Amino acid sequence: MKKRYSELFSIENGAVTPKVPIHINGITMGPGVSFGRGVLFGGVDLTALIGKDLEVEIQNGVYIITGYYN
């Protein structure tokens, strides 16, 4: 299912924080985890995807990011 980046992450003062539990390439994180540009999760810089739509699957309340749209 397609979700907007802003539905899954908040951005405040340059820090990105998941709004919901997120899983990407073997790494799971939830609300309360903040990170900035250049930090890789499962080999992916999630800040490089700001403004893009993400392809996700939801399993047990965890949003699994499987891809993104340009």
Side-chain angles (χ1 to χ4, degrees):
M1 114 185 22
K2 191 179 203 179
K3 291 284 189 180
R4 292 180 181 260
Y5 190 94
S6 61
E7 292 178 80
L8 303 178
F9 298 95
S10 62
I11 305 167
E12 192 171 321
N13 298 324
V16 177
T17 304
K19 294 179 179 179
V20 296
I22 299 289
H23 183 87
I24 185 165
N25 293 339
I27 305 295
T28 302
M29 70 185 102
V33 174
S34 294
F35 55 92
R37 293 196 181 276
V39 176
L40 301 181
F41 290 97
V44 178
D45 179 357
L46 291 171
T47 61
L49 302 178
I50 292 172
K52 297 188 184 297
D53 291 332
L54 305 174
E55 182 63 27
V56 301
E57 297 174 10
I58 303 172
Q59 293 181 5
N60 298 321
V62 177
Y63 287 70
I64 301 167
I65 299 174
T66 59
Y68 66 92
Y69 299 87
N70 282 323

